[in-house]
Amino acid sequence: MSSEMNSNGAGNQGSAHIRTDFRTRDVVNQAVAAIPSLGLQQAAEFLSAMNVPPEVAIRALAYPAKR
């Protein structure tokens, strides 16, 4: 019974997490692409407005090699 609960719980949590990652990835990619035209400040404000976690926004904008 516990193996059924683990597999069902993991599947539900995993699919919700994947959707969030894809959304966050797309939002971060938009912000990074907009840096040359909008600047770093407005890109950061965009990420904040789109509810991207601050640690993700900082890593994506300040440390592009770690994206």
Side-chain angles (χ1 to χ4, degrees):
M1 184 163 139
S2 64
S3 64
E4 287 178 28
M5 290 176 62
N6 286 341
S7 66
N8 288 340
N12 291 340
Q13 290 174 348
S15 63
H17 184 70
I18 289 171
R19 284 192 299 272
T20 301
D21 284 346
F22 286 145
R23 179 201 165 275
T24 302
R25 179 200 63 193
D26 292 342
V27 170
V28 168
N29 285 340
Q30 287 177 349
V32 169
I35 290 173
S37 60
L38 298 178
L40 192 58
Q41 177 72 32
Q42 287 186 334
E45 290 173 4
F46 171 74
L47 291 176
S48 177
M50 297 301 291
N51 297 320
V52 172
E55 61 275 6
V56 173
I58 292 168
R59 185 176 66 237
L61 297 176
Y63 306 103
K66 294 185 178 183
R67 267 196 329 126

